[in-house]
Amino acid sequence: MSRPGDEQWRRPDPDAGESDAARAAQAYPGPPQQIPPPPGWHPEVERRTTPPRRLPEVDHDALDLAEDRADRFTNLLGIVAGVVLILVACIQWRT
């Protein structure tokens, strides 16, 4: 089942002769010829002479404390938002 604009996408009929294949070969000359890059086109690579610096020590207890505080704040904020939404719903329901 083909639609009106699909003729260009159909396969060539092998029984029709070599006219479609010859036409396709003339229409597409092939990929462009690859030319190798000139020698030495890469930038020069220099080795690192200094070792990387040491990272500072991590205070895991302070990180855990900050994470707990942030968790409590998020939960408190959600509870306050829920209470405000319930109050607004009750006020709207009464009017």
Side-chain angles (χ1 to χ4, degrees):
M1 171 173 271
S2 66
R3 291 180 283 179
D6 290 343
E7 291 83 23
Q8 64 181 350
W9 302 111
R10 69 175 173 79
R11 290 184 180 204
D13 187 14
D15 298 332
E18 300 215 22
S19 63
D20 287 339
R23 221 173 336 142
Q26 290 173 355
Y28 179 65
Q33 186 178 12
Q34 293 190 2
I35 301 170
W41 66 276
H42 286 288
E44 292 184 20
V45 178
E46 293 185 17
R47 302 196 75 183
R48 179 181 284 200
T49 57
T50 59
R53 65 180 176 86
R54 268 187 75 93
L55 293 176
E57 294 295 324
V58 177
D59 187 2
H60 293 285
D61 294 332
L63 285 176
D64 290 340
L65 182 64
E67 185 178 356
D68 289 340
R69 286 181 181 167
D71 191 34
R72 276 191 238 123
F73 175 75
T74 303
N75 290 336
L76 180 66
L77 191 64
I79 290 170
V80 169
V83 168
V84 168
L85 287 174
I86 289 173
L87 288 174
V88 168
C90 289
I91 290 172
Q92 289 292 325
W93 180 65
R94 302 246 336 159
T95 56

